[in-house]
């Protein structure tokens, strides 16, 4: 912008002035200098250049701009769903973990240690880590594991049991 203004003002006449709002273009570089002497200055005699002929901003969305709103912004007006008064986020607090991240909670060393000791499956209590729900995305290593959680999805349960593990639901 600065370069553009400087290019406009690079003639031998007055250069751009620095003001509180930034660079100010000199009057001789303004476009409307060319319109002097032409009555309507390019805005037409009939329609006239008025301030806000169709209202300011989003005015008339349900009235004179209805076609535009329906065409390009369907669903802008109105409501959807049910209201829930005095909603407390605590009641819906349910952090999740997927199976592919399950072993990161106990660490790789612990996993290898348990893999070496046959007949020993580690117990991963998700509530100790502040996680309430176990979901079934990803794969588990072929190693039994006991998962304790408040909620376990059907797919997660199936995959845990496939590797020889068990699921325990806690309150």
């Amino acid at each position: 912008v600065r370069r553009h203004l400087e290019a406009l003002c690079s003639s031998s006449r007055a250069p751009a002035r620095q003001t509180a709002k930034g660079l100010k273009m000199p009057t001789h570089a303004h476009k409307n200098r060319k319109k002097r002497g032409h009555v309507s200055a390019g805005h037409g005699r009939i329609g006239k250049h008025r301030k806000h002929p169709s209202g300011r901003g989003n005015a008339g969305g349900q009235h004179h701009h209805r076609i535009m709103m329906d065409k390009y912004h369907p669903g802008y007006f109105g409501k959807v769903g049910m209201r829930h008064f005095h909603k407390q986020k605590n009641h819906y607090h349910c952090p999740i973990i997927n199976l592919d991240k399950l072993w990161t909670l106990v660490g790789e060393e612990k996993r290898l240690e348990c893999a070496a000791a046959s007949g020993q499956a580690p117990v991963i209590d998700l509530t100790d880590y502040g996680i309430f729900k176990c979901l079934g995305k990803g794969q588990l290593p072929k190693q039994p594991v006991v998962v304790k959680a408040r909620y376990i999805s059907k797919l997660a349960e199936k995959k845990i049991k496939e590797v020889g593990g068990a699921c325990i639901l806690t309150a």
Side-chain angles (χ1 to χ4, degrees), residues 39-96:
V39 177
S40 305
H43 290 291
R45 287 173 187 268
I46 297 166
K48 299 183 190 60
H49 188 210
R50 294 279 161 85
K51 292 284 174 69
H52 296 276
S54 61
R56 291 174 193 250
N58 288 340
Q62 290 180 303
H63 306 285
H64 54 287
H65 290 157
R66 157 113 6 134
I67 289 169
M68 186 274 290
M69 291 303 282
D70 290 348
K71 185 174 182 182
Y72 297 109
H73 309 282
Y76 180 81
F77 294 106
K79 300 173 182 178
V80 144
M82 292 184 291
R83 296 190 298 173
H84 182 170
F85 304 114
H86 193 58
K87 182 177 183 180
Q88 292 171 318
K89 296 275 177 75
N90 268 1
H91 297 177
Y92 297 93
H93 181 72
C94 187
I96 59 144

Side-chain angles (χ1 to χ4, degrees), residues 29-145:
H30 280 268
K31 215 174 200 173
N32 93 315
R33 297 305 309 157
K34 295 219 183 285
K35 308 253 176 88
R36 290 296 186 206
H38 302 277
V39 177
S40 305
H43 290 291
R45 287 173 187 268
I46 297 166
K48 299 183 190 60
H49 188 210
R50 294 279 161 85
K51 292 284 174 69
H52 296 276
S54 61
R56 291 174 193 250
N58 288 340
Q62 290 180 303
H63 306 285
H64 54 287
H65 290 157
R66 157 113 6 134
I67 289 169
M68 186 274 290
M69 291 303 282
D70 290 348
K71 185 174 182 182
Y72 297 109
H73 309 282
Y76 180 81
F77 294 106
K79 300 173 182 178
V80 144
M82 292 184 291
R83 296 190 298 173
H84 182 170
F85 304 114
H86 193 58
K87 182 177 183 180
Q88 292 171 318
K89 296 275 177 75
N90 268 1
H91 297 177
Y92 297 93
H93 181 72
C94 187
I96 59 144
I97 191 168
N98 279 301
L99 288 182
D100 54 1
K101 300 273 187 238
L102 193 64
W103 279 101
T104 60
L105 297 176
V106 289
E108 188 65 16
E109 300 83 29
K110 180 77 172 167
R111 186 181 78 77
L112 296 171
E113 187 184 306
C114 294
S118 62
Q120 216 182 9
V123 177
I124 302 177
D125 190 350
L126 296 182
T127 48
D128 288 350
Y129 298 96
I131 297 166
F132 291 176
K133 188 170 189 174
C134 182
L135 300 178
K137 187 182 116 181
Q139 298 300 316
L140 277 174
K142 301 276 184 278
Q143 183 180 343
V145 61

Side-chain angles (χ1 to χ4, degrees), residues 2-20:
R2 177 183 289 265
R3 217 175 307 125
H4 179 66
L5 279 174
E6 285 169 357
L8 278 173
C9 313
S10 62
S11 67
S12 59
R13 298 169 73 180
R17 283 196 325 272
Q18 184 74 41
T19 65

